[in-house]
Amino acid sequence: MKLYIYEHCPFCVKSRAIFGLKKRSFEALFMLNDDVATPKRLVGKKVAPIFERDGRHMAESMDIVAEVDALDGPVLTGVTNPLLADWINHSTSTVYALAIPQWAEADFPEFATTDARAYFKTNKEKAIGPFKDRLAESGRLIAAMNASLEDLAPMVKAADAVNGDLSTDDIHLFAHLRSLSIVRGLAYPKAVEEYRMRMSVNMGIDLHDRIAS
Ligand SMILES: N[C@@H](CCC(=O)N[C@@H](CS)C(=O)NCC(=O)O)C(=O)O
């Protein structure tokens, strides 16, 4: 089984996470960010992640999660908490405003060429505006994110499963927190910090704390 991914990509993190939780290995293939040909050939559009199994290809991270989870008995059996989905939705624009300008500078395989990095910058500035404007407001964004993290803390029931039993909420929440890990200066409440650390190990996905800026 193979995953075509980008290192920064939260949807790719979701697809990687289920392999980690199920202790199954996969081959990671990092695409250049401006490689349109490969994803188009595989699934007809430029997108990541793409899952390859027995010569078949599929996109959509949560479809990939469901397919891999179904192998040899599912692990994501817990109920989900709608308040958690709300929390993720409400904080998404802040996470992206903080994380995307940092990803753009990171030494990730999808940015191995100057053109690939430039492609990402052009594409993402269309989505979140000029990076310099987002960086200029990082103090306000970090304060807002820290307040959001305080709201999250009481929802974290256990370090190895946000609701107590593993569910798709863990896939979404870890991907979200992993995006944030490229940002320096955040204050993680104890429950959130323990969750990030434990899930990073259990899912086999490094946080970006060490390269955060
Ligand atoms: N609904 C899709 C969304 C995937 C997605 O938006 N991936 C981003 C990368 S993080 C993407 O491919 N964007 C287009 C691009 O990079 O040009 C999923 O869950 O897999």
Side-chain angles (χ1 to χ4, degrees):
M1 291 187 277
K2 297 179 185 173
L3 285 175
Y4 294 77
I5 50 180
Y6 309 129
E7 170 64 19
H8 72 275
C9 162
F11 303 98
C12 304
V13 167
K14 294 180 189 186
S15 65
R16 293 164 65 180
I18 191 63
F19 281 92
L21 290 174
K22 302 222 23 151
K23 308 291 170 237
R24 274 186 173 261
S25 59
F26 65 94
E27 185 182 347
L29 297 162
F30 290 92
M31 298 182 285
L32 285 171
N33 203 247
D34 63 343
D35 177 1
V36 180
T38 300
K40 270 206 151 180
R41 176 170 53 81
L42 299 177
V43 293
K45 61 181 174 182
K46 183 186 183 310
V47 74
I50 295 169
F51 177 45
E52 178 178 319
R53 185 179 174 211
D54 300 331
R56 196 170 56 88
H57 296 94
M58 66 188 276
E60 279 309 317
S61 56
M62 293 311 289
D63 292 348
I64 299 167
V65 168
E67 178 152 331
V68 176
D69 194 29
L71 303 172
D72 303 327
V75 295
L76 302 176
T77 52
V79 292
T80 55
N81 175 2
L83 294 177
L84 201 64
D86 288 347
W87 181 86
I88 291 173
N89 286 338
H90 286 136
S91 55
T92 291
S93 62
T94 308
V95 170
Y96 281 164
L98 284 165
I100 289 174
Q102 304 304 332
W103 287 334
E105 299 298 321
D107 183 17
F108 291 158
E110 60 268 34
F111 306 137
T113 66
T114 309
D115 283 354
R117 195 181 293 280
Y119 182 98
F120 180 83
K121 185 171 188 227
T122 304
N123 203 13
K124 296 301 177 190
E125 286 198 321
K126 280 187 201 144
I128 67 160
F131 290 171
K132 67 172 172 36
D133 292 353
R134 298 294 78 77
L135 290 165
E137 60 182 11
S138 64
R140 183 186 65 73
L141 292 168
I142 284 175
M145 197 64 233
N146 281 340
S148 275
L149 289 167
E150 291 294 334
D151 295 338
L152 171 64
M155 286 189 259
V156 179
K157 302 294 177 225
D160 58 359
V162 65
N163 302 323
D165 292 309
L166 278 174
S167 70
T168 52
D169 278 352
D170 292 293
I171 303 289
H172 294 299
L173 180 60
F174 181 78
H176 201 62
L177 294 171
R178 205 273 194 155
S179 292
L180 211 49
S181 70
I182 192 88
V183 180
R184 196 160 52 177
L186 290 163
Y188 293 100
K190 186 166 176 282
V192 179
E193 179 63 7
E194 288 174 359
Y195 179 83
R196 282 184 342 125
M197 294 296 161
R198 179 78 69 85
M199 293 311 273
S200 168
V201 172
N202 291 0
M203 292 176 168
I205 301 173
D206 285 349
L207 292 164
H208 289 143
D209 293 2
R210 264 171 300 168
I211 56 163
S213 55

